[in-house]
Amino acid sequence: MRMLQLLLAAPSSGSGKTTAACALLSALKARGLEPCAFKCGPDYIDPMFHHAVLGVPSHNLDLFFSTPQTVRRLYTSGAAGHGSAVCEGAMGYYDGLGGVSAAASAWHTADVLDLPVLLVARPKGASLTLAAQLQGLKAFRTPHHIAGVLLNDCTEMLYKLLAPMLERETGLPVVGFLPPMPDAAIESRHLGLKTAGEIADLQQKIQILTAAAQKKIDWPRLLALFDRPAPMAPAVQAAAPTVRIAVAQDEAFCFTYAETLESLRAYSPAVDDILKYRTYSKLLSTYVEGLLKALGPDGRIHSTFIQTEARTGRISSTEPNLQNIPIRTELGSRLRGYFVAAPGETLVDADYSQIELRILAHITGDEAMQQAFLSGADIHRATAAKIYHIPESDVTHELRTSAKAINFGIMYGKGAFSLGKDLGISVKEADTFLKTYLNTFPKVDGYMQNCIEHAKEKGYVETLFGRRRPLPELASSNFQVRSSGERMARNTPIQGTAADIIKLAMVHVWQRLRDEKLQARLLLQVHDELIVEAPENEVEQVKRILKEEMEQVVSYSVPLTAEVGTGKTWLEAH
């Protein structure tokens, strides 16, 4: 059996490979060639888009985290039974060291799968530059991999002028072109939380692109270039050594805890894949599919905010919870890019900087900690310098990371065991870190002890605003319950005060918006962050209001600072 197999790659960012891939997949589907799609590199959003909007089975070929053997098996399995297979990917990724790496790129995937590459290029009128660029790519890679060129965002007149010249200069066939389509770029963010009408809009654009691809691409030439034998199933190999994974189970469920899997990383490469699978499944089910289901009739998501549920006093969000949109990973944080401002509006995001540490410095009265904030120093670097008795300029990234973990760990009542897990060090080393920290900041240690003694005596703790939290856990005979109560006694005055401050700031911001007769409105509160949606002509005024009201809501021994950003999406604004 033979099938159309190719890999779309772009010689530069913004060449429109995703647009071309969607158009080509739709055109292949319309021609009855039953396409399947593959995405090269660590992008798990485009495959969701291919499947959800185009109705094309789509898979990820991730050479960052998988072996070439695994990628070959995934490709063979995914392409089985299909008449065509289209892969799409970038030619290189930043390797984190200031350069671009071909590892896990479209080139790498083409090598592993022995696929011919169709270069997607946007002329932009620079014909000679484009020819030189394509020549360089041809010289850089194995010649048989580059089979042709597809011009994107190109008029028919420009195509007729460019195609002969490019073929003459590069020796590569130019198989067709896609015409300019305003706003037709189909990027992963379009899967985001937009209205059903906008999704339908995208489908219409895809249909237009499909029609263009049907007419503009030289199909006989394309089929001749990329018609290849279907991939053969890999030969059965001897089973690799297995790792037995302990499973916690009862009559209701059977589940392997993430913590258990983490401890087995060194024993099997499958553990990484399992953990990543769980992460991506959670992102898809909870934050993509789940939030899309929560769209209201107006195309927006409306959460319910509760003031009395969280015992620390924080406002909580439910149905859906908009306060736990993940931000600590690159893939998770991209979800914020799917929350967009209304047409003609901009999101203004203000976030308190290290508010809990500033409250800790004020409550404890520790001069060294207060001085770090008053001087505008990096608090974690300053802490590391104090602990290790070295100049701040000598503090390494590792030392700063340790100091940061201790700064926050102290507030949350973490002991040596928990801190050791966070830093990946032994309990003994973590205990030494903690003791050194508390010796360096004696007022912090004294405050923590006083919090527990006061709570045991009174039966409650208080925020700086006088709001009380009962702690019956401190009277428990159970050691673990009592220890939990002690951690809450340390943390509640700090976290509870932060909760009181942000709520008071919300009131002040709302009053200013009302008093100054602005159309801007508070949209969302996430812990120490306020988001306002404002018309374009009110943005600067709203930025000033947020910064003034949030920073001046209280007067403490160390100043509160709020960082303000703007953007059309939550990701841009934060």
Side-chain angles (χ1 to χ4, degrees):
M1 176 185 174
R2 301 182 72 81
M3 67 185 296
L4 176 68
Q5 300 175 70
L6 69 147
L7 192 151
L8 289 174
S12 62
S13 61
S15 297
K17 64 183 183 303
T18 306
T19 305
C22 289
L24 189 57
L25 286 167
S26 297
L28 290 168
K29 189 175 180 182
R31 293 172 68 90
L33 289 175
E34 295 299 324
C36 58
F38 298 88
K39 177 73 178 183
C40 308
D43 187 335
Y44 286 76
I45 304 297
D46 278 352
M48 299 176 195
F49 179 82
H50 295 150
H51 181 73
V53 179
L54 302 180
V56 173
S58 188
H59 314 273
N60 184 270
L61 301 177
D62 193 348
L63 280 165
F64 268 109
F65 300 115
S66 303
T67 64
Q69 293 80 5
T70 300
V71 166
R72 288 192 195 100
R73 286 197 296 270
L74 288 172
Y75 177 75
T76 300
S77 173
H82 290 274
S84 56
V86 177
C87 299
E88 178 238 316
M91 290 184 176
Y93 295 100
Y94 285 100
D95 61 10
L97 300 175
V100 176
S101 169
S105 67
W107 291 133
H108 193 181
T109 306
D111 287 337
V112 168
L113 300 177
D114 191 28
L115 288 178
V117 172
L118 181 65
L119 295 176
V120 180
R122 178 173 283 151
K124 298 181 181 178
S127 55
L128 292 176
T129 302
L130 180 61
Q133 190 178 37
L134 296 177
Q135 277 282 45
L137 291 168
K138 182 181 175 182
F140 176 65
R141 300 306 300 172
T142 307
H144 77 269
H145 273 316
I146 302 178
V149 178
L150 176 66
L151 297 180
N152 186 41
D153 196 14
C154 177
T155 64
E156 186 171 4
M157 181 180 295
L158 184 59
Y159 169 73
K160 288 178 179 179
L161 290 171
L162 281 181
M165 185 278 296
L166 290 176
E167 291 187 344
R168 183 178 65 252
E169 294 293 329
T170 67
L172 297 172
V174 180
V175 300
F177 70 98
L178 288 175
M181 283 286 298
D183 302 321
I186 301 163
E187 300 176 6
S188 59
R189 62 173 172 268
H190 286 301
L191 182 62
L193 308 180
K194 298 190 173 186
T195 65
E198 286 174 297
I199 295 295
D201 219 29
L202 282 171
Q203 290 174 314
Q204 185 179 7
K205 289 176 182 176
I206 292 168
Q207 290 171 1
I208 295 171
L209 285 168
T210 301
Q214 290 274 60
K215 294 176 183 177
K216 306 300 182 184
I217 295 177
D218 185 348
W219 285 96
R221 197 173 189 183
L222 184 71
L223 291 168
L225 285 170
F226 300 108
D227 186 23
R228 298 159 59 86
M232 298 294 293
V236 178
Q237 299 177 349
T242 59
V243 175
R244 294 186 178 275
I245 298 177
V247 176
Q249 58 181 321
D250 62 20
E251 60 185 13
F253 68 91
C254 177
F255 187 72
T256 308
Y257 288 102
E259 187 175 347
T260 304
L261 287 171
E262 288 282 358
S263 67
L264 296 170
R265 277 183 184 272
Y267 298 98
S268 171
V271 172
D272 276 336
D273 292 328
I274 293 170
L275 289 169
K276 279 197 292 290
Y277 170 79
R278 288 186 178 180
T279 299
Y280 296 134
S281 295
K282 175 72 172 178
L283 288 174
L284 176 60
S285 62
T286 302
Y287 302 113
V288 178
E289 295 173 347
L291 289 174
L292 285 171
K293 291 175 183 175
L295 281 174
D298 59 355
R300 291 194 163 210
I301 290 175
H302 298 271
S303 180
T304 299
F305 294 92
I306 303 172
Q307 289 207 61
T308 56
E309 184 172 295
R311 294 184 66 188
T312 58
R314 286 190 180 276
I315 293 176
S316 60
S317 166
T318 185
E319 295 181 354
N321 185 353
L322 296 180
Q323 294 181 332
N324 68 346
I325 304 298
I327 59 171
R328 293 185 179 179
T329 63
E330 189 275 334
L331 182 62
S333 66
R334 280 166 51 189
L335 289 167
R336 290 193 171 205
Y338 306 152
F339 291 83
V340 298
E345 306 275 325
T346 294
L347 298 181
V348 185
D349 183 300
D351 193 4
Y352 276 121
S353 174
Q354 299 169 331
I355 186 172
E356 292 183 356
L357 281 175
R358 292 172 186 271
I359 293 170
L360 177 66
H362 172 72
I363 288 180
T364 61
D366 190 277
E367 293 83 358
M369 192 174 286
Q370 289 180 358
Q371 185 55 41
F373 282 119
L374 290 170
S375 65
D378 179 333
I379 183 62
H380 304 307
R381 185 173 296 277
T383 299
K386 290 284 184 184
I387 293 175
Y388 300 108
H389 305 291
I390 58 176
E392 288 189 27
S393 58
D394 292 344
V395 173
T396 64
H397 173 73
E398 290 74 19
L399 293 179
R400 184 186 181 279
T401 300
S402 299
K404 182 177 180 179
I406 297 173
N407 272 332
F408 287 108
I410 286 289
M411 286 191 298
Y412 290 94
K414 286 188 175 182
F417 180 76
S418 296
L419 184 64
K421 284 179 63 179
D422 290 346
L423 295 175
I425 59 178
S426 69
V427 175
K428 185 177 180 181
E429 288 177 295
D431 186 58
T432 301
F433 277 150
L434 278 174
K435 287 178 178 175
T436 305
Y437 180 96
L438 294 175
N439 288 335
T440 305
F441 301 104
K443 288 190 176 181
V444 173
D445 187 32
Y447 164 75
M448 295 298 177
Q449 297 303 323
N450 289 338
C451 274
I452 296 171
E453 293 304 319
H454 177 275
K456 285 180 178 178
E457 179 185 343
K458 301 290 186 180
Y460 62 83
V461 288
E462 289 181 308
T463 70
L464 291 181
F465 289 84
R467 184 168 52 80
R468 296 179 180 181
R469 176 181 181 178
L471 288 177
E473 293 88 349
L474 291 172
S476 174
S477 59
N478 184 297
F479 174 78
Q480 289 185 331
V481 174
R482 196 166 62 251
S483 297
S484 173
E486 291 178 358
R487 286 193 296 273
M488 288 185 279
R490 293 189 190 101
N491 174 247
T492 297
I494 300 167
Q495 194 178 75
T497 298
D500 294 342
I501 288 173
I502 191 71
K503 286 193 282 190
L504 190 58
M506 288 174 67
V507 174
H508 289 189
V509 168
W510 176 81
Q511 288 174 335
R512 281 281 300 275
L513 296 176
R514 180 198 60 184
D515 294 345
E516 298 184 23
K517 296 180 172 52
L518 300 180
Q519 294 181 347
R521 56 178 180 154
L522 270 171
L523 205 63
L524 184 63
Q525 183 266 338
V526 180
H527 307 315
D528 306 323
E529 179 182 358
L530 294 181
I531 300 97
V532 173
E533 188 176 53
E536 300 286 355
N537 62 341
E538 295 180 358
V539 168
E540 291 305 316
Q541 192 173 355
V542 169
K543 286 171 62 178
R544 186 177 67 254
I545 288 172
L546 280 168
K547 191 166 184 65
E548 288 175 358
E549 296 303 332
M550 290 177 71
E551 292 184 348
Q552 298 171 17
V553 66
V554 293
S555 179
Y556 288 162
S557 56
V558 293
L560 299 184
T561 61
E563 298 172 351
V564 184
T566 62
K568 291 299 181 183
T569 71
W570 189 6
L571 181 62
E572 291 175 3
H574 185 68

